[in-house]
Amino acid sequence: MPLYSVGLNSSGYLYWNTPSSPSSQRRHIVLKEGDCVRIEVDLESTPRTVQFFVNGQAVDSYVSGIPSSVLIGFSVCAQGTSFRIDNISHLSRPTPISEEMEEIEW
């Protein structure tokens, strides 16, 4: 069974490998040391979505139609790179998705 994913890597690329787009695609997002990255996974909406935020600002794409069960993972690939998890919480409501954002279908 294929492993599908969506993520934001330390080089600043949003990537996805989904059933509707099985080859990885990339869009550049500028990241720098000290940036705060937030992930919102909305499993209660229809369709279910995932959004990424950098320093409180939504990136210009979101993924819709994600499965009802997801795994969230983090990795560090370069020497001297680190991350810290400050908070894992359940929001009372997700951040609204802007009409200008590009939808990436799962």
Side-chain angles (χ1 to χ4, degrees):
M1 180 171 166
L3 177 63
Y4 297 113
S5 62
V6 60
L8 183 66
N9 70 21
S10 61
S11 298
Y13 287 90
L14 180 67
Y15 63 90
W16 56 95
N17 174 21
T18 67
S20 66
S21 181
S23 58
S24 292
Q25 300 179 36
R26 297 177 185 260
R27 167 166 300 134
H28 192 261
I29 297 164
V30 178
L31 286 178
K32 62 188 178 314
E33 184 176 341
D35 280 347
C36 177
V37 175
R38 183 174 87 228
I39 306 166
E40 280 190 25
V41 179
D42 183 354
L43 296 176
E44 296 176 2
S45 67
T46 303
R48 293 176 293 273
T49 59
V50 63
Q51 290 190 75
F52 290 88
F53 299 80
V54 177
N55 300 321
Q57 298 294 313
V59 300
D60 60 0
S61 301
Y62 69 99
V63 179
S64 69
I66 63 172
S68 59
S69 177
V70 298
L71 296 172
I72 297 176
F74 302 91
S75 66
V76 177
C77 299
Q79 185 175 358
T81 302
S82 65
F83 68 90
R84 180 181 75 221
I85 299 172
D86 286 334
N87 187 346
I88 297 176
S89 59
H90 183 273
L91 301 176
S92 58
R93 60 192 146 117
T95 303
I97 293 173
S98 167
E99 291 182 14
E100 292 84 36
M101 293 175 72
E102 178 186 4
E103 179 181 19
I104 300 163
E105 293 182 25
W106 185 262

